Amino acid sequence: MSEETLSNLLKEDRRFEPPPAIAENANLKADAYERAAADREAFWAEQAERLDWDTKWDRVLDWDDPPFAKWFVGGKLNASYNCVDRHVEAGRGDKVALHWVGEPVDDTRDITYAQLKDEVSRAANALTELGVGTGDRVAIYLPMIPEAVVAMLACARIGAPHTVVFGGFSADALASRLEDCQAKVVITSDGGYRRGAPSALKPAVDEARAKTASNGHTVEKVLVVRRTGQDVDWDDDVDVWWHDAVDGASADHTPEAFDSEHPLYVMYTSGTTGKPKGILHTTGGYLTGCSYTHWGVFDLKRDTDVYWCSADIGWVTGHSYMVYGPLANGATQVMYEGTPDSPERGRWWQIIQDYGVTIFYTAPTAIRSFMKQGREIPDKYDMSSLRILGSVGEPINPEAYVWYRHVIGGDRTPVVDTWWQTETGAIMISPLPGVTAGKPGSAMTPIPGVSAEVVDEEGTPVPNGSGGYLVLTEPWPSMLRTIWGDDERFRDTYWSRFSKQGYYFAGDGAKKDEDGDIWVLGRVDDVMNVSGHRLSTTEIESALVSHPKVAEAAVVGAKDEDTGQAVCAFVILRDEAGDGGEDIVKELRQHVRKEIGPIATPRQIMVVPELPKTRSGKIMRRLLRDVAEHREVGDVTTLADSSVMDLISSGIDSGK
Ligand code: 6R9
């Protein structure tokens, strides 16, 4: 990667020291880095002790047959027992596990650990009754209701790997996942609430089931939660109401201890290109990674913190940081069913105020949309309970970071910009709230126990101040074990690029600044080559977002006869900027020119009302590239809102 890359971002010189109160009492202090570096396996073994093991392991890591790792070999445990029962046995049964907030205002439930244990046990008994055995796959297609958590833990309890499919995915997307992992049972609901109105889910399951049947795969049972009360088609041979099967089941269930390497779940990555990959996570290492990072990176104080992760359960963040991490740690957390702006734009801040949330974890895309609405909205709420803020999913623009810290965190709160992936299972690169002086826009350094590098084409570490490919150089407990049913693709995708060194290739570009801190630039396929210069989409997006009229920006490289690729930008303006004025495009081109240099000047800037995003908030640049290169827009099935592309295309056609 050329030296010009990211010089703009690296000009960032704001630093935020950890607040003394957090630094003094931090769960992870600076010495953890040294201890982990001195003996990595001993450090991870120490973290695994956070869990309750039925049988202790006799070997920490088996890396005899890379890239197929085995962690805590010979150990046995039950993930559901670790997330639920052990807290009840320790006398904390009355502690709230979930403050569940429904989409309709005042539809709330507080669920204690004791209640959760009973419900998970009933569901485990019900699943067994329906014929689900150890190793059978169960698909979960539910809205953000407590039954989603219960279903996951019930599967884990009986050793049936779950695959949670995001409720916004289409019947086709569901069908391909059901087939790929040969799911025996699907757990769904009649529907869910979205922006005040019920929306159906069960019909998509019916359709997906018909589709898989025509391809020779049989889903045996569908367990249906009644959420909205809307009418559903019913097949007596297959469909079973949750309240019939679960409510009457016994709340006694003895969890069986499974091998540390027993499959826990398969999570399909949203896949910006190609067929979705079923990422396999197993039990002992994964739970160790989630528990350790949730405790260390968020500095969780079990008895006083109220934690809230806004991610959907159908995304890996919902798995690691709403279910397995926080529950293994006995945390009290908020779970919210709805969207941030329904029924009004302050809904999230209202929830933070009402529940006294102390740790809040969300995505840059959400932060930027709040920036766009203006600080008057959050300013109406008392959010003084917050002490730590987290960000995940994409690089956070320095402006968004500073706004988040300032407006939401009242300038008290460290912001942890956490880099990780579905594949890594848990946070890999992040500041530590009690140790690191945060730099807006940088994910900083690998956490203790993790070993990352930025390397060049040959796999050699680049010097400080240079860019390259982000790799993980040592195995870690929560690493993916394979791609479900496709070991070859697993090797090819992640381990062949730097096979000589045995590095895991994350698919992201990154840069080390002069201090050696890591700036993640985004997917390598989002890196453009303009006249032989490598330019990062993130760099130009950050420049655009630093303009006072711009709320959000997406940049793609479009084929160009002269320069190879040319920069095309799509921008959403801030509400107060109106239509931006006649010269808005010129003004923005000049701004980028000034911020980064002539080479980065966009050939084309399109002012648009929305950007196409996946449910996890990632901008689908592939679709924008189609628009920029005047092609027919490709597959939009993984978009959160598929009408967005029509909006964009029609705005452009009409010359706006
Ligand atoms: C957890 C999650 C993984 C990809 C990853 C990278 C991007 C995630 C980031 C980040 C910069 C961060 N990403 N966190 N980029 N800074 N803090 O998002 O998993 O959906 O698998 O996406 O997201 O490009 O490779 P997943």
Side-chain angles (χ1 to χ4, degrees):
M1 206 166 284
S2 81
E3 288 311 301
E4 293 88 5
T5 305
L6 255 213
S7 53
N8 184 52
L9 279 183
L10 300 178
K11 272 186 291 190
E12 177 61 59
D13 56 7
R14 287 167 287 195
R15 296 286 177 276
F16 298 104
E17 293 291 337
I22 291 181
E24 274 157 37
N25 302 307
N27 289 349
L28 272 180
K29 297 211 166 93
D31 68 294
Y33 291 105
E34 287 143 42
R35 281 190 296 121
D39 190 341
R40 186 181 315 279
E41 288 188 21
F43 182 82
W44 281 119
E46 189 186 312
Q47 303 317 318
E49 296 283 4
R50 311 174 53 74
L51 306 177
D52 277 25
W53 295 79
D54 204 69
T55 309
K56 203 174 159 179
W57 59 88
D58 37 49
R59 192 173 169 194
V60 175
L61 168 66
D62 174 348
W63 193 231
D64 298 345
D65 180 27
F68 300 96
K70 294 193 178 93
W71 280 88
F72 310 115
V73 184
K76 285 189 193 306
L77 77 169
N78 185 289
S80 167
Y81 173 85
N82 271 280
C83 289
V84 186
D85 307 45
R86 64 171 179 155
H87 306 308
V88 179
E89 287 170 16
R92 295 189 298 274
D94 291 338
K95 188 180 195 302
V96 171
L98 294 176
H99 288 297
W100 179 75
V101 182
E103 142 97 8
V105 175
D106 296 332
D107 185 4
T108 60
R109 278 167 74 184
D110 282 349
I111 299 168
T112 64
Y113 274 95
Q115 290 166 336
L116 188 61
K117 173 175 178 276
D118 287 352
E119 192 67 7
V120 169
S121 300
R122 284 193 198 98
N125 282 321
L127 286 174
T128 306
E129 193 64 28
L130 289 178
V132 179
T134 303
D136 288 340
R137 273 81 62 207
V138 175
I140 299 174
Y141 186 66
L142 281 171
M144 288 282 284
I145 54 178
E147 286 80 1
V149 177
V150 170
M152 287 166 72
L153 293 173
C155 288
R157 199 173 184 88
I158 59 173
H162 54 72
T163 186
V164 181
V165 180
F166 168 58
F169 278 154
S170 63
D172 280 359
L174 175 61
S176 69
R177 287 156 175 78
L178 294 177
E179 270 172 40
D180 191 76
C181 72
Q182 299 280 296
K184 188 170 184 179
V185 166
V186 180
I187 305 178
T188 188
S189 67
D190 49 0
Y193 288 100
R194 225 158 163 79
R195 296 187 201 281
S199 86
L201 271 183
K202 172 81 164 41
V205 178
D206 296 341
E207 203 185 317
R209 197 161 62 77
K211 190 157 184 215
T212 59
S214 69
N215 289 338
H217 170 66
T218 308
V219 171
E220 292 178 15
K221 293 285 174 195
V222 178
L223 189 56
V224 189
V225 177
R226 186 179 277 153
R227 169 69 184 129
T228 58
Q230 62 203 112
D231 284 342
V232 288
D233 287 343
W234 205 256
D235 178 341
D236 282 328
D237 295 334
V238 177
D239 297 329
V240 182
W241 282 111
W242 175 281
H243 53 260
D244 287 339
V246 176
D247 291 3
S250 162
D252 282 326
H253 184 276
T254 308
E256 186 187 333
F258 295 106
D259 191 275
S260 178
E261 284 299 334
H262 188 77
L264 182 61
Y265 70 82
V266 178
M267 168 98 245
Y268 288 87
T269 53
S270 60
T272 33
T273 49
K275 171 178 173 252
K277 297 173 285 200
I279 303 300
L280 174 67
H281 283 292
T282 58
T283 309
Y286 174 76
L287 205 57
T288 297
C290 293
S291 165
Y292 158 62
T293 51
H294 180 257
W295 167 87
V297 175
F298 297 110
D299 192 42
L300 178 84
K301 306 294 190 236
R302 188 189 61 208
D303 298 330
T304 48
D305 274 321
V306 178
Y307 166 86
W308 180 18
C309 166
S310 71
D312 193 278
I313 205 157
W315 185 30
V316 72
T317 306
H319 282 47
S320 299
Y321 297 106
M322 211 180 81
V323 179
Y324 291 108
L327 295 177
N329 290 342
T332 292
Q333 66 175 325
V334 168
M335 174 178 184
Y336 173 51
E337 182 185 24
T339 48
D341 52 359
S342 183
E344 36 84 29
R345 288 163 157 195
R347 185 87 195 262
W348 274 15
W349 320 128
Q350 178 83 52
I351 293 171
I352 290 178
Q353 174 178 297
D354 289 351
Y355 289 93
V357 171
T358 58
I359 305 171
F360 182 55
Y361 193 28
T362 193
T365 178
I367 299 165
R368 287 193 302 265
S369 77
F370 296 127
M371 280 174 81
K372 176 171 174 250
Q373 294 163 6
R375 66 173 297 163
E376 305 76 56
I377 298 165
D379 278 351
K380 285 191 221 132
Y381 300 88
D382 175 5
M383 293 191 277
S384 56
S385 55
L386 287 171
R387 63 182 200 94
I388 288 170
L389 298 175
S391 171
V392 60
E394 53 174 324
I396 180 166
N397 321 81
E399 291 317 309
Y401 175 113
V402 172
W403 189 92
Y404 190 30
R405 185 187 151 98
H406 186 68
V407 176
I408 305 303
D411 259 338
R412 297 176 313 277
T413 53
V415 173
V416 289
D417 174 9
T418 62
W419 178 87
W420 60 291
Q421 309 176 293
T422 304
E423 292 87 342
T424 69
I427 295 167
M428 299 281 108
I429 304 177
S430 172
L432 294 181
V435 179
T436 317
K439 296 178 188 172
S442 170
M444 305 300 290
T445 47
I447 61 167
V450 172
S451 174
E453 249 306 344
V454 180
V455 299
D456 63 16
E457 299 281 344
E458 276 72 51
T460 311
V462 300
N464 289 353
S466 307
Y469 301 102
L470 185 60
V471 297
L472 298 169
T473 60
E474 298 285 346
W476 63 100
S478 63
M479 65 200 286
L480 77 165
R481 296 304 193 260
T482 189
I483 291 173
W484 185 261
D486 202 341
D487 286 350
E488 241 356 87
R489 191 173 178 202
F490 168 63
R491 272 184 210 274
D492 281 357
T493 311
Y494 305 107
W495 303 93
S496 63
R497 183 74 183 71
F498 299 107
S499 56
K500 205 170 79 202
Q501 295 83 357
Y503 293 163
Y504 167 85
F505 175 44
D508 282 330
K511 176 138 179 162
K512 285 195 277 192
D513 67 16
E514 294 301 339
D515 303 322
D517 292 323
I518 295 174
W519 298 67
V520 180
L521 305 181
R523 307 296 303 173
V524 204
D525 46 17
D526 290 342
V527 172
M528 293 170 288
N529 192 325
V530 181
S531 304
H533 297 268
R534 272 175 185 249
L535 292 170
S536 141
T537 53
T538 309
E539 180 185 24
I540 302 173
E541 285 164 10
S542 285
L544 285 164
V545 173
S546 74
H547 188 282
K549 287 184 185 168
V550 175
E552 187 152 10
V555 166
V556 296
K559 281 198 194 70
D560 186 280
E561 285 196 355
D562 294 326
T563 56
Q565 276 188 310
V567 179
C568 289
F570 295 77
V571 297
I572 304 180
L573 299 178
R574 290 188 187 225
D575 285 356
E576 68 266 26
D579 70 358
E582 228 175 85
D583 285 330
I584 182 70
V585 169
K586 202 167 139 201
E587 208 177 307
L588 294 179
R589 293 184 87 230
Q590 267 161 5
H591 180 71
V592 175
R593 202 180 161 92
K594 184 173 110 294
E595 289 287 304
I596 309 174
I599 183 71
T601 312
R603 180 184 75 184
Q604 222 178 339
I605 295 184
M606 289 164 261
V607 176
V608 292
E610 288 290 346
L611 290 171
K613 287 179 187 155
T614 63
R615 261 307 292 175
S616 61
K618 286 185 195 21
I619 295 170
M620 291 189 72
R621 291 193 174 72
R622 172 168 63 79
L623 300 179
L624 293 175
R625 231 172 273 133
D626 289 346
V627 174
E629 300 182 348
H630 311 292
R631 262 195 312 273
E632 208 187 318
V633 173
D635 182 17
V636 296
T637 52
T638 56
L639 277 182
D641 176 0
S642 55
S643 65
V644 163
M645 286 317 293
D646 297 334
L647 267 176
I648 293 174
S649 304
S650 65
I652 289 162
D653 290 342
S654 65
K656 264 187 246 161

